[in-house]
Amino acid sequence: MTAELIDGSETAKQIRRELTAQVQELAAKGIVPGLAAILVGDDPPSKIYVNSKAKNCQKVGVYSEVIRKDAGITQDELYSVIDSLNSNPRISGILLQSPIPSFLDEFAACVRINPIKDVDGLHPDNVGRLLIGKPRYQSCTPLGVIELLKRYRVEMKGKEVVIVGRSNLVGKPLAAMLMQKWPETNATVTICHSATRDIYDHTRRADVVITAMGQPEFLRGEHIKEGAVIIDVGISRIDDPSVEKGYRIVGDCHFESCSAKASKITPVPGGVGPMTIAMLLTNTVLAAKIQHGLA
Ligand code: NAP
């Protein structure tokens, strides 16, 4: 079997088109959704992510602000940045770009964000709502995975799903979504992690395998069953002297061997990655609607 490609770049483009139409409808009512990103320090990948988020906002007509603070900021100064965004009516959604310097308390800062503006879906209030099955904003990367499964018509009801990785950002919220009794989910979910005795024993039995580990090409064709659906969240950079840049971006799955056996597969790059920002925009537009009593 040669797998059908689940194209996250194309899907994200389509979502941006849909959001542009929604933003125009809101503009006709005098509402402009706004996203504020807080960037602390000068971590190069974080700068790239934040700039890319701001560019994507522009594409769909969402107002965006980047608040840059140097790495020496105190916890109280960080709180006052968050407090002023919490009370700023132009800002529908706030995100604190992770990681922040390790002497700061990232969890406490996340909790300081008003949950009604927590478009990253990481505030305990929003995580709790998801677990109960009454979500407001859901974490962007797992939401992107669910959106890809839905748009590529992967029926999830009753399916055996194995998620490898249990982070608060990806694995745990994804499991909480997939186990819900919703039309697009309703699956049987197993979560594997570094203490799992034999991960491949689980992945070989799964109808759908979702990897979110950060371990380059960990999963190969021999570790999945014929016709499985493979969703690869992992992103790693590996040295490759045969290409001009000297490195390649790969996922947690070995693409060639897995795509020879799977029925559907996401590539890396171009799979889940572009969906994360598309879901952040989706949450920001939803935030503007909620704050104006339209959702
Ligand atoms: P994380 O916080 O480091 O969590 C990694 C998870 O994988 C942990 O639960 C860890 O287990 C598990 N794990 C790591 N190595 C393992 C191994 N050899 N065997 C079994 N389990 C193992 O990472 P994350 O934030 O969830 O991100 C995971 C990957 O997704 C990274 O490559 C990241 O760059 C990528 N990512 C992509 C996007 C996107 O937009 N596409 C967004 C977020 C993250 P323990 O809990 O036992 O340590």
Side-chain angles (χ1 to χ4, degrees):
M1 181 172 280
T2 304
E4 177 192 353
L5 202 68
I6 298 183
D7 188 337
S9 301
E10 255 324 299
T11 309
K13 255 190 223 162
Q14 174 58 30
I15 290 169
R16 283 200 299 272
R17 280 193 287 272
E18 294 163 14
L19 287 173
T20 304
Q22 291 182 36
V23 169
Q24 283 164 357
E25 277 174 33
L26 288 173
K29 297 183 168 78
I31 300 165
V32 181
L35 176 70
I38 306 169
L39 179 64
V40 182
D42 51 11
D43 176 49
S46 295
K47 278 187 184 167
I48 294 170
Y49 292 142
V50 164
N51 289 339
S52 165
K53 285 166 186 172
K55 250 191 233 155
N56 272 270
C57 282
Q58 265 178 13
K59 281 186 192 165
V60 299
V62 166
Y63 168 74
S64 86
E65 265 181 39
V66 179
I67 292 93
R68 294 181 172 84
K69 292 286 165 191
D70 69 51
I73 191 174
T74 65
Q75 189 78 23
D76 282 338
E77 284 164 347
L78 181 56
Y79 285 157
S80 68
V81 170
I82 294 169
D83 292 345
S84 80
L85 294 170
N86 279 340
S87 57
N88 182 344
R90 278 199 89 172
I91 299 302
S92 334
I94 303 168
L95 77 87
L96 176 61
Q97 182 63 44
S98 182
I100 63 174
S102 57
F103 64 86
L104 294 169
D105 185 338
E106 189 165 344
F107 177 70
C110 168
V111 172
R112 188 83 172 201
I113 295 172
N114 184 340
I116 206 82
K117 293 194 174 186
D118 165 46
V119 288
D120 253 346
L122 300 176
H123 189 288
D125 184 77
N126 286 315
V127 175
R129 281 169 179 266
L130 166 63
L131 209 56
I132 290 163
K134 306 249 176 246
R136 184 198 281 133
Y137 310 120
Q138 301 178 72
S139 179
C140 299
T141 301
L143 188 58
V145 170
I146 301 289
E147 198 60 37
L148 282 177
L149 292 168
K150 196 163 79 182
R151 291 184 185 235
Y152 277 82
R153 297 182 201 292
V154 180
E155 167 69 56
M156 296 303 289
K157 185 177 176 185
K159 291 284 169 64
E160 294 289 337
V161 181
V162 168
I163 301 171
V164 192
R166 58 173 163 188
S167 70
N168 290 328
L169 191 63
V170 189
K172 279 186 208 163
L174 186 54
M177 291 173 196
L178 287 166
M179 72 170 74
Q180 300 292 337
K181 208 170 179 178
W182 295 335
E184 69 274 25
T185 56
N186 218 356
T188 302
V189 183
T190 302
I191 305 189
C192 298
H193 44 74
S194 61
T196 302
R197 251 178 309 177
D198 184 350
I199 291 179
Y200 298 137
D201 185 43
H202 293 278
T203 58
R204 278 193 200 97
R205 283 187 276 116
D207 301 309
V208 179
V209 181
I210 306 174
T211 50
M213 315 163 70
Q215 297 291 333
E217 301 181 330
F218 175 89
L219 193 84
R220 301 185 61 92
E222 64 261 36
H223 305 132
I224 63 172
K225 79 173 181 188
E226 190 75 37
V229 173
I230 306 297
I231 307 288
D232 191 352
V233 180
I235 303 174
S236 301
R237 198 169 137 152
I238 57 168
D239 293 339
D240 184 348
S242 74
V243 295
E244 204 184 316
K245 287 183 291 191
Y247 67 87
R248 265 180 319 126
I249 299 295
V250 297
D252 294 335
C253 303
H254 182 261
F255 186 79
E256 286 71 28
S257 61
C258 286
S259 59
K261 213 164 166 192
S263 59
K264 295 182 181 175
I265 189 167
T266 56
V268 177
V272 177
M275 292 298 289
T276 297
I277 296 186
M279 293 300 104
L280 178 67
L281 298 175
T282 302
N283 280 348
T284 304
V285 172
L286 174 62
K289 289 181 184 169
I290 290 175
Q291 288 154 31
H292 287 86
L294 300 172

